[in-house]
Amino acid sequence: MDITIPEVEHKELEMRNYQLELAHPAINGKNTIICAPTGSGKTHVALKIAKNHLDKGKRSGNKGFDKVIFLVNKVPLAKQQHDMFRQYLSDYDSVMVHGEQKDTPPLKINMAKNDIVVLTAQILVDALNAEDEKERASLSQATLMIFDECHHTNKGHPYNQIMGLYLDERVDHRDNPLPQVVGLTASLGVGKAKNIKEAQRHILTLCANLDADCISTVNKALGELMDHVNVPNREVKTVPSRDRDPFTSTIEDIIRLIEKQMRTIVDINEETKALDTVLGTCPPQKGSDPYTQWISQLNKPIVQLPDPKVRRRLKACRNYLKEYNVALIINNDSRMKDALNHLNQELIKNVTHVDQTHLVDTEIWLQQLFQEKLPILTKLSSSTDYPNPKLETLKALLLEAYRVNSNTRGIIFVKTRDLTVAIQSWIKETPALKHLNPERLTGAGASVEASGMTLTHQVDVLEYFKGGKHKVIIATSVAEEGLDIQACNLVIKYVHVTNEIAMVQSRGRARATGGKFLLLAESGKGTAEKERLNIFREEMMNRAIKLVQQMQGAEFIEARKKMQLEAKMERSLAARAKKQHRLTSEEEYELRCLRCDVLACISRDFRTIQKSHHVVVDPEFKEKTEVLPHPKPVKYDNFQKTGKLFCKACKYDWGIEAIYKKAKLPVLKLDSFILVDIRENRLHCKKWKDAPFQTPELGIEDLQILLNSPTFWAGQ
């Protein structure tokens, strides 16, 4: 959804001495990683570097030639940082580009028309790899490229993909101009390092990936930095689990019955060997991270089974295990009521969305098992005999914070989107807390139905939080990085610890004077110990940075070059392997329904629209589907959603029906199908980018054939 961009008041860019110290190497033209605490004003440092860069070009008569690209890794950051450029660099034309916008010109055109482009990294990756030369952007269009939260520049992250293209261009086409590179971060992390030597290598790897000449930290003006950066008081509260938890015991009994049922479905032979191996590694602790990972690992061996009936039964069991496991996680950190609400919503959805006449025996058994246990779970969830000590502690912390300061703004970080829903419901239904008017803040990586959020909603939540309408936000990691929430003076990490980077980032959200950073840890679960380890890893990172900064010039350059050559070799091998796995245009895959194995279509029947939406152009495909009205018929990317698409044989969700250029087209999700090649090998891909076949773009001739076909969808 587009964001209306209001006028902003111009502000003069005023710099502190420590910010000028941070900016100095980059202003002198060096590729620089700038590492400074959250709240120190790294964006102001970036603005200074960009302004100096553009002003220098203007003075030399090159206005319009110099271009600044400012990259972010999350959509909400794009708007926040673009607003900063508009306020402080209003003499220059700027534009914001992100994946939730529609009807935007190609990035190549936006870069040509503007001095500053603020965009999400994946947009640039797609533009640099565009097949159409008219739309393909080039890194040589930019003269300065700034990476926000640059510690992500590793492995397959879009940042690293961009820098991989940058480094390849530098080696393969030495005469082509490339932009100066600047990275911003509060924490470079140490990766999986166990000692200072490995931590130093991790830092060097980031320098190599970003082609950095140096790491800029504050040394001379350290006193001034400390005066301006608020370091919140840190406190760890350890809380016991429930004394008794019959709700968890009941769910665990159900899970064990389903696990037993799965073993009776499978006959052990060569074709089921991989599945038997995974089933044999089932973790005993349900509702844990290992058990969640195990459920995920079940998917691949199940979908590769040749017998569609066996596959369907096992997939149904896996889906129920997944939801029961989520319920255990919710119950552990919230109320039994919230866990039951999740089960009712997800498992009853399975009943209402599927034609009961098409169920197989295992699916009927799973439904009956839930209905059989539902009265017990309902009674337990309505009882007041099993309070959650963690919620009681959280309540006391919030009441105390708002007693001391009624204008407190707090962020509660939780592990999952489901928990944001549960904790929000609990606060709203707790009389002493409901005046806080809590709101959720999650990422846009999931649908609204799956507790995701649009950019518009995210922006509104943050504005209302700053203004005091919402005094508490319950957030996932989307709020940990970069978001400037200056009003926040209370951060609570609710039974959730990840790594040292996330610790630094989330701690930095408590920016207001007198801020507090609280970790609520469950006893016996290692949460407090993980936080202590993160503190140690943060200290190790700071020592490793100093060691890298102390390296002699030739030594640093040689180490960086060696790592870059190793990375280039890895990219070349990966690209070659990917090319070998993609079929030529003469080869085909059958797409079969993931649930019932009915043939849906052939890979040659697919076309892409705007390089992302995959539609079927076989007029006979309609006969294999059933269409129901879409519950949210919204418009996006020139599409008008009109219906939900289901398998006619088993009512499995295949995707959506949408109008595009007066034709109603079936837009499929690859996750709903098994791919079968001519040798009967079976493959399951969750995302279209992983499909082992090339798909051409939808052409005018395709639309003409579809519109003239009496069996195809008619547009409106």
Side-chain angles (χ1 to χ4, degrees), residues 301-506:
I302 288 175
V303 299
Q304 290 179 340
L305 293 173
D307 188 332
K309 293 180 180 178
V310 171
R311 189 170 65 247
R312 179 171 175 176
R313 289 178 170 89
L314 289 170
K315 184 171 175 58
C317 289
R318 178 189 172 275
N319 289 344
Y320 271 75
L321 283 179
K322 178 183 175 183
E323 302 308 336
Y324 284 124
N325 189 62
V326 170
L328 286 179
I329 293 170
I330 294 172
N331 177 57
N332 187 57
D333 291 340
S334 191
R335 300 172 297 180
M336 296 176 181
K337 173 183 177 179
D338 301 309
L340 183 59
N341 284 343
H342 174 82
L343 289 176
N344 278 325
Q345 180 179 333
E346 296 302 321
L347 299 188
I348 290 177
K349 184 195 298 181
N350 289 342
V351 175
T352 56
H353 286 196
V354 177
D355 187 337
Q356 299 298 293
T357 61
H358 290 80
L359 295 177
V360 296
D361 52 359
T362 303
E363 291 168 333
I364 294 170
W365 176 78
L366 288 164
Q367 287 187 9
Q368 290 175 343
L369 181 60
F370 176 59
Q371 294 299 328
E372 175 189 326
K373 300 294 184 181
L374 186 56
I376 300 171
L377 295 172
T378 302
K379 183 177 180 181
L380 289 171
S381 68
S382 61
S383 172
T384 58
D385 294 337
Y386 313 104
N388 193 328
K390 284 174 276 188
L391 290 180
E392 296 300 311
T393 303
L394 179 59
K395 177 182 175 181
L397 291 173
L398 291 172
L399 287 175
E400 175 62 16
Y402 287 92
R403 182 192 67 79
V404 173
N405 180 2
S406 61
N407 291 318
T408 289
R409 301 285 188 278
I411 301 179
I412 303 170
F413 284 105
V414 297
K415 190 173 184 179
T416 66
R417 290 188 179 97
D418 297 308
L419 277 171
T420 65
V421 175
I423 300 299
Q424 181 191 32
S425 297
W426 168 72
I427 294 177
K428 283 184 172 182
E429 294 170 18
T430 301
L433 299 176
K434 65 180 182 180
H435 69 282
L436 301 178
N437 193 22
E439 185 53 281
R440 300 167 47 250
L441 184 63
T442 64
S447 65
V448 174
E449 292 91 337
S451 304
M453 297 178 75
T454 64
L455 173 60
T456 302
H457 193 179
Q458 290 172 334
V459 170
D460 287 345
V461 167
L462 291 173
E463 287 302 316
Y464 287 138
F465 179 69
K466 293 172 186 175
K469 179 178 179 180
H470 304 301
K471 293 192 173 184
V472 169
I473 290 176
I474 305 102
T476 54
S477 60
V478 70
E480 283 182 343
E481 288 191 349
L483 289 177
D484 185 11
I485 312 173
Q486 294 187 3
C488 180
N489 62 326
L490 175 65
V491 170
I492 299 175
K493 292 278 280 186
Y494 186 68
V495 205
H496 174 45
V497 171
T498 49
N499 60 25
E500 72 281 3
I501 295 176
M503 179 192 73
V504 171
Q505 297 282 5
S506 57

Side-chain angles (χ1 to χ4, degrees), residues 27-42:
I27 286 175
N28 285 340
K30 289 186 177 182
N31 285 2
T32 307
I33 293 175
I34 294 169
C35 186
T38 300
S40 60
K42 290 184 293 296

Side-chain angles (χ1 to χ4, degrees), residues 28 49 61 122 194-195 219 227 236 238 273 303 366 427 557 566 626:
N28 285 340
I49 295 166
Q122 190 60 50
K194 297 181 177 63
N195 54 55
N219 294 300
D227 289 340
V236 177
T238 303
K273 191 174 180 180
V303 299
L366 288 164
I427 294 177
I557 291 170
E566 290 173 355
E626 182 175 315

Side-chain angles (χ1 to χ4, degrees), residues 9 101 113 151 180 219 307 337 392 516 571 649 706:
E9 182 183 351
Q101 292 169 317
K113 289 184 175 180
H151 52 270
Q180 179 186 356
N219 294 300
D307 188 332
K337 173 183 177 179
E392 296 300 311
K516 293 186 72 174
R571 286 194 299 274
L706 295 176

Side-chain angles (χ1 to χ4, degrees), residues 18 24 115 186 329 334 336 374 435 504 568 621 638 679:
Y18 72 81
H24 181 73
D115 304 302
I329 293 170
S334 191
M336 296 176 181
L374 186 56
H435 69 282
V504 171
K568 181 172 174 57
F621 178 72
N638 297 318
R679 296 169 294 281

Side-chain angles (χ1 to χ4, degrees), residues 602-643:
I602 308 296
S603 56
R604 69 165 179 262
D605 296 332
F606 279 99
R607 300 291 184 271
T608 58
I609 297 176
Q610 298 170 354
K611 300 180 179 60
S612 58
H613 309 291
H614 289 71
V615 301
V616 181
V617 295
D618 175 13
E620 304 301 322
F621 178 72
K622 181 179 180 182
E623 302 302 319
K624 302 174 183 179
T625 66
E626 182 175 315
V627 183
L628 297 177
H630 200 287
K632 295 188 177 182
V634 297
K635 188 174 182 179
Y636 71 104
D637 285 356
N638 297 318
F639 281 83
Q640 175 67 54
K641 287 185 185 179
T642 57

